[in-house]
Amino acid sequence: MFTKNAVALAVAATLALPGVAAAQSQEERSQEELRALREQVKQLDKRVTDAEQTAIQASNRPASESAFNPAVSLILNGIYSNLSQDPKTYRINGFVPSNGEVAPPPRGLSLGESELAIAANADHMFRGTGIFSVSPENQIEVEEAYIQTLALSYGFTIKAGRFFSAVGYQNQIHAHAWDFTDAPLVMKAFLGNQLSDDGIQLKWVAPTPFYFDLGAEAGRGKSFPAGPAGGRNKNGVSSGNFFAHLGGDLGTGTAWQIGASYLTTSPQDRVYDDVDSTGTAVTNSFTGKTRLWVLDGILKWAPDFNPTETYFKLQGEYFRRKESGDLTFDTAGVLGTQTGGYSSAQSGWYLQGVYQFVPLWRVGYRYDRLDAGTTSIGVVDSGALTAADFPVLAAYSPTRQTVMMDWSPSEFSRVRLQYAQDKARSDAKDNQVFLQYIVSLGAHGAHKF
């Protein structure tokens, strides 16, 4: 009996072995299929992640550029000038000369300032921009060269390098995009035509239904109203600027923006040229503190926000500057160096309007006014020198009126005719006529609002 039972168990085990082996084989195949499926999911997830990063970089880059093919543009600018006064003797009476390029272009035909721009995203974190200007005297200058973040959270952006300061409105706009041939008088008197500095800017755009930003800049202070030219030999920063803007839409065709900024710097030995009471050329210098407040506003109107047929733009800025410190007469010591206290409170403003009355054609009008305000010169108050020894600082309120008409056959070219009656000099009126062309070649970024 035992033998029969053993034989039965052996036969049953033999019959069951194929089923067990089949179950084990099925389980192994299932596990292999599961591992393969997991690997496919992992590869698919990686592809999705890579695609998202590519999309982020592409969204921050103009369609015409890439990491190996940056956007390159060239601005060509030429001008014919007819001036009733010699531009070499140009000055803004009542205000410390900035030594900037504030004079009109030379008489006759001349090549204006041309501009070469290169820009591209370095990666998904940074964008780089370099803008180089070529002067009529064949000098190449770095106008702007900076990096800018692309992926900071909560609306923050950091810019570092050389860039146009966000003081006021028009200072941030390149000259070829201005509505008139030259800068307003307030920019010439208080910013040396246009303020560019080496530094860093932090800007925050609020997540609101209307536009609102806050920002701060720290700079080297390499040019007027800072000093000396090129910046002081010191660690840290020499100038600071704080700014804010608020804007939005009205109805179905009007957009607006207002802004405020505060620039502060501490010039040291900031020199300027003048003549004394006998007509002898002297070089004076200022050391102290400069504070500048700016209010700006712009209003744009176009039917249904479409400026193709017609539009109107109203723009204005108000500047107020206070300076206090020491003014040194005749730094070279030819007539005898003398130093005394100095303080001033000066202001100025402009208002301009531009109207496109038919496609391609625009007309515009601008009014400028400066107020020399109150100025105290220590060496004059003490009787050591007379006010005649500082003729350029004599109280005066310069004004200028400008009209223009331009034709833009495309977004890449413009021809402008402009007439101005400039009373920046206290003893002469300058009638100015300009005929200007501006041509843009290559990909060019969008301009500021």
Side-chain angles (χ1 to χ4, degrees):
M1 184 175 180
F2 174 78
T3 302
K4 292 180 178 179
N5 291 337
V7 172
L9 285 172
V11 173
T14 301
L15 294 174
L17 280 175
V20 172
Q24 290 178 344
S25 178
Q26 181 65 30
E27 182 179 357
E28 289 175 356
R29 284 197 300 269
S30 298
Q31 290 178 351
E32 289 178 0
E33 291 175 356
L34 182 59
R35 283 194 294 268
L37 183 60
R38 286 174 177 170
E39 183 63 25
Q40 291 177 7
V41 171
K42 183 178 179 181
Q43 291 296 328
L44 181 60
D45 183 65
K46 183 177 183 301
R47 291 177 183 177
V48 171
T49 301
D50 292 343
E52 289 176 344
Q53 293 296 331
T54 302
I56 291 174
Q57 295 183 38
S59 66
N60 290 315
R61 179 186 297 133
S64 60
E65 70 176 55
S66 68
F68 301 101
N69 182 31
V72 179
S73 67
L74 177 64
I75 305 297
L76 301 177
N77 178 14
I79 192 167
Y80 170 79
S81 304
N82 187 299
L83 311 172
S84 62
Q85 302 294 328
D86 187 352
K88 295 180 180 180
T89 64
Y90 186 83
R91 63 186 181 278
I92 303 176
N93 276 111
F95 294 80
V96 173
S98 66
N99 298 319
E101 299 177 358
V102 300
R107 286 167 162 167
L109 293 166
S110 65
L111 181 66
E113 185 178 89
S114 298
E115 179 183 289
L116 175 65
I118 304 173
N121 288 7
D123 49 36
H124 66 287
M125 292 294 295
F126 296 101
R127 178 174 179 81
T129 300
I131 301 175
F132 309 90
S133 62
V134 182
S135 71
E137 294 77 23
N138 298 322
Q139 295 179 340
I140 299 177
E141 179 181 350
V142 179
E143 198 165 71
E144 291 193 285
Y146 60 84
I147 61 170
Q148 190 171 12
T149 60
L150 297 174
L152 293 186
S153 301
Y154 306 108
F156 284 96
T157 304
I158 295 177
K159 181 190 294 186
R162 177 174 298 178
F163 50 87
F164 287 132
S165 173
V167 55
Y169 176 78
Q170 186 162 317
N171 189 74
Q172 305 172 69
I173 303 174
H174 285 262
H176 69 266
W178 292 349
D179 291 317
F180 292 83
T181 299
D182 47 7
L185 287 181
V186 287
M187 289 179 60
K188 293 185 177 186
F190 296 122
L191 300 177
N193 197 61
Q194 193 166 19
L195 177 59
S196 173
D197 204 0
D198 299 344
I200 186 169
Q201 179 193 90
L202 174 65
K203 181 178 176 180
W204 173 66
V205 178
T208 55
F210 51 87
Y211 181 81
F212 176 63
D213 72 37
L214 292 172
E217 298 171 347
R220 174 176 176 78
K222 70 179 184 67
S223 58
F224 189 90
R232 297 171 60 180
N233 183 18
K234 57 168 288 188
N235 294 319
V237 300
S238 296
S239 67
N241 180 47
F242 305 90
F243 61 89
H245 298 95
L246 178 67
D249 297 334
L250 296 174
T252 59
T254 304
W256 59 276
Q257 179 180 286
I258 57 174
S261 51
Y262 171 67
L263 174 70
T264 178
T265 184
S266 299
Q268 184 177 50
D269 298 326
R270 188 185 71 196
V271 300
Y272 74 93
D273 295 327
D274 203 351
V275 295
D276 72 348
S277 56
T278 65
T280 303
V282 295
T283 298
N284 304 330
S285 70
F286 170 74
T287 297
K289 187 175 182 64
T290 296
R291 292 169 294 169
L292 177 66
W293 294 264
V294 182
L295 297 176
D296 61 81
I298 183 167
L299 181 74
K300 296 182 178 182
W301 171 84
D304 297 321
F305 295 108
N306 181 7
T308 304
E309 296 292 329
T310 183
Y311 72 85
F312 175 73
K313 179 166 64 172
L314 183 67
Q315 174 185 324
E317 297 184 75
Y318 172 79
F319 285 59
R320 181 169 179 80
R321 180 182 66 187
K322 289 187 176 182
E323 291 193 315
S324 59
D326 294 323
L327 183 64
T328 299
F329 172 80
D330 187 20
T331 57
V334 177
L335 303 176
T337 301
Q338 297 190 55
T339 301
Y342 174 83
S343 65
S344 66
Q346 301 175 312
S347 62
W349 59 274
Y350 75 91
L351 185 67
Q352 66 184 46
V354 174
Y355 177 55
Q356 179 174 292
F357 55 97
V358 294
L360 313 182
W361 289 90
R362 309 188 310 165
V363 292
Y365 172 78
R366 180 181 64 192
Y367 181 79
D368 299 82
R369 185 176 184 86
L370 296 173
D371 184 358
T374 57
T375 300
S376 174
I377 304 175
V379 291
V380 174
D381 295 339
S382 67
L385 295 171
T386 67
D389 291 308
F390 302 90
V392 77
L393 300 183
Y396 180 63
S397 296
T399 61
R400 183 178 61 178
Q401 297 189 68
T402 308
V403 293
M404 75 85 185
M405 174 180 286
D406 61 32
W407 171 60
S408 303
S410 74
E411 60 180 304
F412 303 105
S413 62
R414 173 167 291 166
V415 178
R416 175 184 291 131
L417 177 64
Q418 176 175 307
Y419 168 76
Q421 189 178 85
D422 191 334
K423 298 180 180 179
R425 301 174 177 89
S426 59
D427 57 350
K429 177 178 65 177
D430 191 9
N431 292 309
Q432 306 169 343
V433 178
F434 303 116
L435 180 61
Q436 178 187 26
Y437 70 80
I438 303 171
V439 173
S440 175
L441 308 177
H444 194 78
H447 293 138
K448 177 180 172 60
F449 170 83

